[in-house]
Amino acid sequence: MSLFHPMFESEEFFSNPLPSLLLIPDFRIGNRTFGNPSHPAWYSGIEKRFVTPEIDRKMYRKTMETVKRVRDANPHCHFLFWSLAGREFTNMQSGRYMDSGQYRHPIWNLAEAEAEIGDNVISLQPLLSHRLAERMFKDSQLHPTNFGYRFLRSVIDDVAHLGASDTARQLDVLAGNLEIPVIDFGRPTVLTGTSAWNRTLSYYLKKGMAELGPNVEFVPDVSQIPPQQGGSKDFVWISGLSKSSAEDDFAGLRKEAQILRSVEDKGYSPRVLVWDAHAYAFKSPADRFPAGDPRNGDVLDRRLNKECGPKIRVHLNRPGGPRLIQPRDVELDTAVKGPMATFPGLAAVTRAMGGTVTWKMFEPFQEEVPEVARESSPIDRDFQARVAASVPVLRGLWRRVKSRS
């Protein structure tokens, strides 16, 4: 949603006396404002045909004017250019808009945008060169990862006290207190499948945000399943069956059952769990089907179980019993194809298939950062004391959340 939404004209928004944080969206969102203003949702979405240098410049100036109007009317509001920082980081990673080693976008640049707004900005310039940067954004639309949400929450919790120069310190403290899941099984296990759950795990492994234990052989490509060796390996398949699998008399489902039977022919005894159909039901109202509908997740489970035969075990929800997959297990705001899993979702599925999940620190916690120590001031020391006091509380809350997942 762009800042041109009528909400930003309301008196309630401008008169809010509490410290607040406004995340500045992508400047192109709502570009129908200059291309098709009569559209009923002119203030949302990005229409590709209106992505032109001329309209981009108009959108940038209109957004910045709105931000300054909010700043002048509401001194309690702080600003975070999340989308601009993410876009600048991804552009730099891919080498776009680079000239002699320097980044320069022809229309909008983070440093200039932050300087134009002034003291009420919480600067994200330190993020661009920080070790957490590549782990903050999970898709092309720059939705935050688990780490990204943790950072945003830390900013929200302390928005009244953070200054533009505090972000680097905030990132360092966060990096020292992040935990990542370690997935393992009690026996050597091949872990594979066709689901968005598998793609989530692959993404987090690549980013160093998850690890595998010594007994797990993760195979992202189902065509590369290794042969069984003396019956020593278990086999876990997380399925991507969804509503489309029921089309044409369950053609997609029958094809996946055929693959699983070929795995059985290699000497494995597959254990199967359908992720996509059940996770989609939380992600999209259009994917919630009543009991008995061929596209319903439970129906697909039973049909797959029947197609596979007695030696392939498909996880079935008990009628009227608790559901394995819960809303907290599914990423709701992602542009990636299929319903990605949250950290609790990775853990829930792993445990349901007989595995274990332990947690380890993302990196050793550093009590003192030399650059911060040299700049220490009463405000710095107060900030560090409040962060240090909150760490045990946050760790305790996090452990309780994990114990329930």
Side-chain angles (χ1 to χ4, degrees), residues 121-135:
V121 163
I122 296 174
S123 178
L124 288 179
Q125 292 179 62
L127 175 62
L128 301 181
S129 58
H130 198 276
R131 57 196 177 279
L132 287 182
E134 65 174 327
R135 301 171 176 93

Side-chain angles (χ1 to χ4, degrees), residues 129-300:
S129 58
H130 198 276
R131 57 196 177 279
L132 287 182
E134 65 174 327
R135 301 171 176 93
M136 288 289 191
F137 311 100
K138 67 188 173 192
D139 58 31
S140 61
Q141 293 184 11
L142 307 173
H143 292 111
T145 62
N146 176 279
F147 285 12
Y149 276 120
R150 292 283 299 278
F151 169 69
L152 290 174
R153 182 55 189 264
S154 72
V155 172
I156 292 168
D157 286 346
D158 213 29
V159 66
H161 303 96
L162 283 176
S165 62
D166 291 328
T167 314
R169 184 166 53 246
Q170 194 89 345
L171 287 165
D172 285 335
V173 171
L174 176 66
N177 287 279
L178 289 169
E179 292 181 303
I180 62 173
V182 181
I183 292 174
D184 204 1
F185 287 82
R187 287 170 39 85
T189 300
V190 174
L191 176 60
T192 189
T194 55
S195 71
W197 188 96
N198 298 73
R199 292 194 293 277
T200 304
L201 178 58
S202 183
Y203 172 83
Y204 281 134
L205 290 172
K206 180 181 177 181
K207 296 293 185 181
M209 297 170 66
E211 291 185 7
L212 299 176
N215 283 331
V216 182
E217 184 176 357
F218 181 57
V219 183
D221 184 350
V222 297
S223 67
Q224 303 297 319
I225 296 170
Q228 176 66 286
Q229 297 177 348
S232 61
K233 292 183 180 179
D234 290 343
F235 190 95
V236 171
W237 177 283
I238 312 301
S239 170
L241 294 181
S242 61
K243 63 181 181 181
S244 61
S245 309
E247 296 173 355
D248 300 324
D249 192 27
F250 294 95
L253 183 147
R254 286 187 280 110
K255 180 180 180 180
E256 186 146 326
Q258 183 180 6
I259 296 173
L260 286 165
R261 287 194 297 270
S262 71
V263 169
E264 183 183 6
D265 292 341
K266 291 183 178 181
Y268 292 106
S269 298
R271 301 198 304 275
V272 181
L273 184 144
V274 175
W275 167 265
D276 283 29
H278 296 284
Y280 264 128
F282 298 118
K283 183 178 172 66
S284 168
D287 291 293
R288 297 170 191 162
F289 303 105
D293 189 301
R295 298 164 294 180
N296 177 277
D298 289 344
V299 173
L300 292 171

Side-chain angles (χ1 to χ4, degrees), residues 72-141:
D72 295 342
N74 185 353
H76 303 286
C77 191
H78 295 72
F79 304 94
L80 199 72
F81 285 88
W82 177 264
S83 293
L84 180 56
R87 190 67 62 206
E88 195 155 311
F89 174 76
T90 55
N91 284 342
M92 291 167 66
Q93 291 291 97
S94 61
R96 299 185 69 194
Y97 307 112
M98 301 296 292
D99 183 14
S100 301
Q102 298 296 315
Y103 178 84
R104 180 69 189 174
H105 191 276
I107 299 174
W108 41 63
N109 294 276
L110 180 63
E112 293 173 1
E114 292 183 342
E116 186 171 340
I117 301 306
D119 292 341
N120 281 35
V121 163
I122 296 174
S123 178
L124 288 179
Q125 292 179 62
L127 175 62
L128 301 181
S129 58
H130 198 276
R131 57 196 177 279
L132 287 182
E134 65 174 327
R135 301 171 176 93
M136 288 289 191
F137 311 100
K138 67 188 173 192
D139 58 31
S140 61
Q141 293 184 11

